[in-house]
Each structure stands twice: as C-alpha cells, then as structure tokens.
Amino acid sequence: MPLDPPPPPPPGRPAAIHFLLLAGIVLLAAVLRLADLDGRPAGLFRDEVEKGYNAWALATSGGVIEFTMDRQPPLRWRTWPWMIDVMGSPTSAIYQYASIPFVRLGGLSVATTRMAAAVAGTLAVLAVGLLFMPAWGAGPGLAAALWLALSPWHLVLSRWALQSSFVPLLMALVLAGLWGAQLRRPWGWPLVGAALGWLFYAYSGAQPLVLAWGLALALIYRRALLRGGWPLVAGAVLFLIPVVPTVLATLAPGGAARLGAVAIWSDPAATPGGVLLRFITNYLAHLDPRFLFFSGDFNPRHGLSGAGQLNPLDLILLPVGLVWTLRFRRPLAWALLAAWLCAPLPAAITTEVPHGLRAYGMALPSAVWGGAGLWLVAGWIGRRSRRVFGILVWLAALAASASLVARYWTAMAGDPLALVAYEAGQRRAWEQLAAEKTPAQRVFIGSFATYAPYYHLFFMQVPPREAAARGLEPGGFYYFDQESTELATVANGMAPGDWLVFPVTPIPEGWPADAIAAGRPLLTPAEARRLRENWILLWQKPAE
C-alpha cells in the first residue's frame, strides 16, 4: 500500500474547527480517566495508599510519614522532602506534591488519590494534539491525540496513583521543546531541558530512558546544539536542577535498593556474558509483537491482562505511521523513533520481563504512530474506493478501541486477578475496620500484610501530626511479627470482638473455617506467586 500523504491541508496553523475537535478528544480522554476512580480499579494498591496519605499529610501539615523498617524508630516525620523513603526504598515525591490540590479540596479518598494520574494522562492527550496538529497537519495530529486517548496501555496507567503516570506528559513536553527549537523559538531548549530533568526525577524506572534518549537527541540535533546560545545554556541548567539532587539521593546509602533487588546483575553467580545475553533477550521481549499487540504484561497494574499493551490494529497502523514519518521526513520523526527504541532499556536491565510499567515510554510514540497510521489508511481507502469505506475504517477502529475500554471496565471492577493485583483485600479489610471497629476493640496486624501501616493511616484517617507524635499503636492497634509468632497464638490472646488482619496464599492449613468467613483467596497459589501478591483476610474473634 503506498504511503502517499493525502492532499492539503499541509502542516500549518490549525483552524478553529480543529481545536473544537481536539477539545472533544480531550473531553473523551478525561471521561475515560476520571470516571469511577473509586471503583475501577476496585482495590487500592499499597503504593497508592502511601502516596494518597502523604499527599494529604503535605496538604494539611507540610510533611510526610516514612516507615523505614530498617532503622529505629521505624516511623519518621519529614517536612517538604525531595525524596520519600517508602519502606526502605527512596522514591520521588512528585506524585504527592501533584496530588496536594485534589486531597486538599476533596479530602483523602481513593478517588482523590488517583486524580493526579488521571489529570496527567488527560494533559498528555492535550499536549500531543497541540504539538502534532501544527507539526504534522490537523488530520494526523488529531488522530494521534485520539489514539493516545484510547490507548489501553495509557488508560491503565492513567487510572491509579503512581509517579510513572507523568512519563507520557513529560515526553510530550520534550518533543514540544524540540519542535520549538527547530523553529528557533527561545523557549525550545529550556523546555527540552526542564522536561527531561523532571522526567529523570519523576520515575526512577525512566532514568535509563532519559540518559539514552538524551544522548540520541544530542546526536540527532547536533547541528542545532553547535549553534549554542543562551537557550541551550538555560536548558542545561533547567535539566540539572532536578537531576543533581536526584542523583545525590540515589548515590546515598540505600538509594538504589530497589534496582539492586531486581537488576539482572544482582545474582552473585552472574557473569558479564550472561548479563549481556539476558539484557539482549529482555530488550527484544519488549519489541515482540506478542507483547505489544496480543498477550501484553500479565500484571493488571501494567496493562490489560490477557491483551496486548496496544490495540491489535496497531500491528498494521503503527508500522504505517512509522514509515510515513520517516519516509516523508515529518518533524520529530527521528526523536520519536529514538524514544521508542530507548524506552525498553529500563525494563531490559531488570529480571521482571516483559514489564509494561518500566517500558511505559513506548506508549506515547506507539500511539502517535498508530493514530497517524489510522489517518493514512482510512484516507487511502477513502480516496481509492468510496469515501464510505474510509469512514468504515474509522468506525471499525473506534469499535475495537471501545471493546478494549469495555474489557478494562469489566475487569477492573471484579476480575479475581485484578482484585489481588490492586490489593482489594487490604482495602476491604481496612474499610470494614473503619466502619465497625469500636474504641474498646483491638486490632492485631500481621507483619506480612504489606504496607499495612499506610493502610492504617489512610483508612482510619489518622491526622499526620498525631501519627508522628504518638505512633500507630494508640487506639488499640498492635503489629506482630508473623515470622516469630504463630497466628493461633495471637488468636488465643485476643478478646471477643478483637480483629485480626493477615495475608494468606493459600489459607493456612488447619486454620478454623470461621476465620475465613469474610473472604478467601481468589487465585491459585501458582497464580498468586506469579503476581507476587497475597489476599488479605479480616477475622473478628466471636463471642464465647
């Protein structure tokens, strides 16, 4: 199929009708990302709980609660931090700061905790439209924005609270800065530097992408860089402002603890040759059509489980858009290709592959090419047959996207895999405790209940200053070490009406049947091990 571009209008200033269409696309993106944030996903993952509570703590008290678990005391109060130590793993505080307006105005809830991710995802769609309409023409620019709005990869990662939700938006801003630099606008290089720097800070998993992509961009735009000037100096300064403190925090003791646990070189028996082979294999796994278009990431937090990271139609549309941008030298074509090829690097250096979260940088260029490909294919068919057939192509693409959205909507409300992945057991247990616990009743919490202290603070709405001053045990909450204490021993010491919170996969053999009345594991042990999550049970000791 020839990839001839359609007739005019060529790239240029979009008309008013184009901005109205873009507004409709952005509205669609907002609805898909903001609707029912409380119930889809149905649970509340542990990282979300920490982010929501510490955003609330910043909004109300100007500080955060950290549980380091490896120091004394385990609970620590810090004011306006650059990085937050979350259970021994330092992470950027960008999400907590971005969430301040939402939890300040709407209070601490599941929906307000996730709202910053949804807004960032919506703004990414707006940024793509505003960039590619003048750069590529109104048609492909609008199609790129629409395809990102409907992207299953982007939708999943725009609806729960994680710092990587800012990756597509910041990448779009980098591309916008490059477009400005090509047009010799003074804001171009400063925007490139600032967006790359904040991308480096926002998500540690994106740092290899920033370094590799930045190097590739320096080679692609080497002639423009040689011209120098104050915009380039300003861009370098703006890049270093967030990068320097982030690097210093990473180099501090424990700063790279998370990477050290999952890196392909973490095995003491690893050899240089073995590490290189593992890296190549991991990298290619993210370019595998099965991962991109059909099977995707198993984890429902990283993609639509059982489906590809992208729309299956992208198997055709993405290559068409890619070839068109390169063959006809569309602006930013090589920058997009460099981003797409560099994006799997963060996932390739870890043991968990294919990984839809660490390779998330692929989502934006994939959607841009897919949208442009859709516009080209529909236009080509419409011009060489009847216009109605081009319209049918658009309708078929929209129907395929609608089916993926519907599949997401159904799965996130009650699919067993999604319930465990988003730790619905923890949420249900703590919501029930918040509703039913009386001051006289005690709650015993097993140490295997991951991030239980943050769930405690979040759902019991413990004021941050009070938590910092008094700790967690006032109010009848007691944490015990499950490695050294039998659950039966704890149960025997409980009074009637007391509560027990503990994780199970599967239910402990011989545990009494009345202990699991409130719930039971929804996955087989093999599935739970693969997902690396547990189901949380809440048991109340009956009256004797």
Side-chain angles (χ1 to χ4, degrees), residues 443-471:
V443 181
F444 295 86
I445 305 153
S447 59
F448 292 168
T450 314
Y451 283 39
Y454 281 119
Y455 281 96
H456 174 178
L457 294 172
F458 186 104
F459 286 104
M460 305 308 291
Q461 302 277 298
V462 181
R465 290 286 187 182
E466 179 181 322
R470 300 175 58 194

Side-chain angles (χ1 to χ4, degrees), residues 192-215:
V192 171
L196 275 175
W198 286 103
L199 179 58
F200 186 92
Y201 165 67
Y203 177 44
S204 60
Q207 291 172 2
L209 163 63
V210 171
L211 297 176
W213 191 28
L215 178 59

Side-chain angles (χ1 to χ4, degrees), residues 36 38-43 159 406-416 418-419 422 424 428:
D36 196 19
D38 179 79
R40 289 175 171 84
R159 287 187 55 87
R407 182 172 177 175
Y408 170 87
W409 227 248
T410 301
M412 291 300 106
D415 178 73
L419 289 175
Y422 287 96
R428 291 178 183 178

Side-chain angles (χ1 to χ4, degrees), residues 333-411:
W334 289 104
L336 278 169
L337 181 60
W340 195 74
L341 292 175
C342 293
L345 293 175
I349 63 174
T350 66
T351 56
E352 303 163 342
V353 290
H355 203 281
L357 178 56
R358 296 193 184 108
Y360 189 28
M362 300 179 73
L364 184 131
S366 297
V368 169
W369 285 326
L374 175 58
W375 175 75
L376 285 162
V377 170
W380 183 84
I381 291 176
R383 291 193 308 276
R384 282 161 177 76
S385 55
R386 295 183 178 179
R387 182 174 296 182
V388 67
F389 291 116
I391 296 174
L392 289 175
V393 171
W394 279 99
L395 292 177
L398 293 176
S401 297
S403 69
L404 291 173
V405 171
R407 182 172 177 175
Y408 170 87
W409 227 248
T410 301

